[in-house]
Amino acid sequence: MVYPFVLPRVVCVGQGALYHLGTEMERLGARKALVITDKGIIEAGLHAKVLQLLKSHHINTTVYSQVEPEPSSECVEQAAEIAREGVYDVIVGLGGGSAMDVAKGASILATNGGRIRDYIGIEAIPVPGLPTVLVATTAGTGAEVTMNAIFTFKDEKVKKGVVSRYLLATVAIVDPELTATVPPHVTAATGMDALVHAIESFTAVKATHHTDLYALEAISLISGNLRRAVACGSDMEARSKMALGSFLAGVSLANAGVGAVHALAYPLGGRFQISHGVANALLLPTVMEFNLIGNLEKFAAVGEAMGESIAGKSVREAALAAVKAVRELSLDVGIPQSMKEVGVTESGVEELIEGALQQTRLLNNNPRSLTKEDIRGLYLRALG
Ligand SMILES: [Fe+2]
């Protein structure tokens, strides 16, 4: 089987990776950079560190800090307008998935023109964008290594994705020190999102030998360290392993894609404004249970990677142990355990089903095919 395997051009991972930023920007010939971030990052003082680093390398900067959670099409178009007018060499995305997605979107809109809705779908972008340097400040989204960017279209109350090689970062920087101030509930939600990336890509139709290597290691690192990272944010060993796990899961996701958990989670975010990580974590065990018969061996391997003892267990029992391990982890790190807990009612389910059915790319990559009735059953079970 022949398959492509993509990565950002340069990846800097580990404690102190941020200090490679200036050198990497110099290598790109940057003189003028647009830094795209959000207010939380500015309040945490992380942008000041980045601006100081860039200044010491004689790079002029402008900051766009209006990135909102689950960013809208209007937000990315506003950032792109600034990028176009300012004639920048490089766009720096500093933050979690939202800031990095806006940076990716602004980069391609700056060179291609038009609106972000023109490029929804797979490989619909005509020419490359401005070079991007993506600096991750959470351990979860994997946005620094993926070729996706997701935006909320408020008029349709739906999230849609742009998928293109041109969204791959020129440089990705993953420094666990930047995650030290992330509060416990965000650490939990983004960490569970990373676990979903690893499990979904590992069991995906498009999984390959390459992506399996990344995904299994990610499952082991995340499930072994998320509790500690949530319990004690300054535990740099746990933060480092979470950052690495999230990065590896992102690489697997970028190449093998995700499946029904994400397909069912997107409408939850779009319609009920539930954060991406929480929506995914809520649906993960229910969807896994449904998916088990699609690939018992792989789900059994997930259980083993999560530390479940598989000695004396049948493959089916080991696969079920993976679901149990996911439930326990989610509960331990404080994720809501039912959709009702986050304000979803039965009357909202039909709208969610319609939203999920639109995610055909993800549904086709799921290890078990789903009918409309299957999707209804999963939402009702997750409702609690
Ligand atoms: Fe995700």
Side-chain angles (χ1 to χ4, degrees), residues 244-294:
L244 179 58
S246 162
F247 162 74
L248 297 175
V251 174
S252 183
L253 152 73
N255 289 278
V258 284
V261 178
H262 274 75
L264 271 66
Y266 283 137
L268 266 182
R271 173 67 183 79
F272 291 94
Q273 288 78 50
I274 297 164
S275 82
H276 177 69
V278 169
N280 270 326
L282 262 173
L283 289 157
L284 177 63
T286 308
V287 175
M288 273 175 83
E289 231 159 23
F290 172 84
N291 279 344
L292 286 188
I293 63 162

Side-chain angles (χ1 to χ4, degrees), residues 139-141 186-196 222 226 242 246 277 329:
T141 68
V186 180
T187 302
T190 52
M192 287 302 292
D193 185 28
L195 183 66
V196 175
I222 296 163
L226 181 56
M242 279 303 300
S246 162
L329 178 59

Side-chain angles (χ1 to χ4, degrees), residues 286-370:
T286 308
V287 175
M288 273 175 83
E289 231 159 23
F290 172 84
N291 279 344
L292 286 188
I293 63 162
N295 201 330
L296 277 177
E297 289 76 12
K298 277 209 155 172
F299 283 105
V302 170
E304 192 177 10
M306 291 189 76
E308 291 296 307
S309 165
I310 60 157
K313 282 195 172 91
S314 67
V315 178
R316 184 177 176 278
E317 286 165 344
L320 281 167
V323 181
K324 180 177 134 288
V326 162
R327 279 216 166 89
E328 287 171 355
L329 178 59
S330 171
L331 191 65
D332 284 354
V333 298
I335 296 286
Q337 296 298 297
S338 74
M339 295 199 315
K340 271 187 187 151
E341 273 182 65
V342 290
V344 183
T345 57
E346 205 170 328
S347 61
V349 167
E350 285 309 308
E351 202 178 335
L352 293 175
I353 296 168
E354 291 311 317
L357 282 169
Q358 288 177 29
Q359 306 290 338
T360 47
R361 178 173 58 86
L362 304 183
L363 295 175
N364 290 340
N365 196 33
N366 197 58
R368 182 174 176 183
S369 46
L370 295 98

